[in-house]
Amino acid sequence: MPEPRLLIDQDLRTGAEIALDEAQARHVGTVLRLDVGGILRPFNARDGEWRARVTVREKRSMRVVLESLLREATPSPDLDLLFAPVKRHATDLIVEKATELGARRIRPVVTQRTIAETVRVDRLESIAREAAEQTERFDAPEIFDAVSLVRALDGWDTTRPLIYADESGDEDGKAWGGEAGRAQPIGEALAAAKGEKLALLIGPEGGFTPDERRLLRNFTYVIPVSLGPRILRAETAVIAALSIIQSVWGDWRRA
Ligand code: SAM
């Protein structure tokens, strides 16, 4: 098994001795059972990934010394995920999977049908850090406080296309708005997205309201997309859309 990875915010340099914080020391000592002499791989997005050796192990603290650089850091694609928070377990899953799938920033947005649960950014950050450690990336996605959809769109950087997962049609009174006005399939829409930055927007369990849908479709930087003929749960939609984005636009393509 490869040596465990640990996201460390301090500067990483040959010979530097680093004190792990209490939670990390507990994790490395108790869960991973590393003792003095054990090897682990500290990393961050500035300094890359290092080989380090445990030099001190105490009940609540641990020190490691950096021995050599293993890999230079490479950035994640410049990809934001905006999602309407769902129930706690599903929100946790969204953050974990979005981290594995390479989102650089995660922005919870409150829409009219978002179920009112508070978003604990610190909790989501720790889920993202753990997923980043397991997934061989160099950074954990930045997680933002929840803001309203309108505020998230206010002052939007229009050079960043917003891929908007829109399952509905335009026909009032028909199931899911009928067939007229359906968005184009995500793969086709992405073939036209050539820039270096992108964002994805996934709605809440109840979907976007007609007003929100009209608002979104009015902006030139918004690209409505379909994720196929079935209605996916929000967390499935995040995973499916990010996977397609990474394979058509992002870093799943051949370098
Ligand atoms: N309109 C629905 C409702 O009223 O219950 C379903 C919302 S769906 C559970 C949650 C979100 O996932 C949607 O807002 C949309 O962003 C995305 N989504 C799910 N299935 C989709 C599809 N087939 N095409 C595009 N987006 C989809």
Side-chain angles (χ1 to χ4, degrees):
M1 215 173 75
E3 288 86 17
R5 298 176 86 233
L6 209 56
L7 179 53
I8 298 276
D9 298 324
Q10 290 112 292
D11 292 340
L12 306 177
R13 270 176 272 102
T14 309
E17 188 176 30
I18 293 196
L20 305 189
D21 67 34
E22 194 177 328
Q24 286 176 325
R26 215 176 318 112
H27 178 70
V28 173
T30 314
V31 182
L32 304 175
R33 297 178 167 280
L34 280 195
D35 213 330
V36 172
I39 301 292
L40 62 154
R41 292 182 289 155
F43 68 95
N44 65 38
R46 292 182 313 274
D47 302 321
E49 180 180 282
W50 290 72
R51 178 185 156 93
R53 189 176 295 277
V54 178
T55 49
V56 176
R57 183 194 171 188
E58 284 164 2
K59 208 162 177 196
R60 291 204 176 77
S61 66
M62 184 171 271
R63 301 182 84 81
V64 304
V65 166
L66 300 187
E67 294 186 339
S68 56
L69 177 66
L70 295 172
R71 292 191 297 157
E72 299 276 0
T74 48
S76 315
D78 194 348
L79 174 60
D80 288 12
L81 168 66
L82 285 76
F83 77 101
V86 275
K87 294 203 178 90
R88 195 170 91 167
H89 173 71
T91 296
D92 292 354
L93 187 77
I94 285 173
V95 169
E96 181 186 279
K97 298 307 165 202
T99 305
E100 289 177 40
L101 291 166
R104 196 186 286 185
R105 297 172 208 87
I106 298 181
R107 300 175 184 275
V109 290
V110 178
T111 64
Q112 288 172 15
R113 292 180 183 154
T114 298
I115 43 166
E117 266 199 61
T118 47
V119 178
R120 289 257 323 267
V121 172
D122 57 341
R123 177 190 160 75
L124 298 183
E125 278 171 347
S126 87
I127 291 170
R129 285 179 80 95
E130 203 174 305
E133 286 169 354
Q134 282 168 10
T135 206
E136 302 283 329
R137 63 185 278 173
F138 291 93
D139 57 334
E142 195 176 350
I143 311 228
F144 290 80
D145 285 326
V147 294
S148 69
L149 176 65
V150 171
R151 186 137 167 242
L153 298 175
D154 188 29
W156 186 266
D157 166 10
T158 54
T159 63
R160 180 184 298 279
L162 177 58
I163 304 294
Y164 154 45
D166 178 12
E167 74 283 14
S168 338
D170 289 337
E171 298 170 83
D172 286 344
K174 288 214 176 159
W176 312 116
E179 284 311 309
R182 288 278 166 131
Q184 62 183 323
I186 184 169
E188 285 173 23
L190 284 169
K194 295 278 180 257
E196 296 290 304
K197 325 172 185 180
L198 208 62
L200 167 69
L201 171 65
I202 300 289
E205 277 313 310
F208 291 98
T209 62
D211 280 353
E212 288 171 329
R213 185 167 176 264
R214 262 190 299 275
L215 171 81
L216 283 160
R217 282 181 160 240
N218 247 338
F219 294 114
T220 50
Y221 58 81
V222 170
I223 304 175
V225 301
S226 163
L227 301 173
R230 290 163 291 277
I231 303 298
L232 309 176
R233 296 181 78 138
E235 58 272 33
T236 316
V238 168
I239 295 167
L242 285 177
S243 305
I244 296 165
I245 287 173
Q246 289 293 35
S247 67
V248 177
W249 170 89
D251 64 6
W252 290 10
R253 290 170 306 159
R254 214 189 290 268

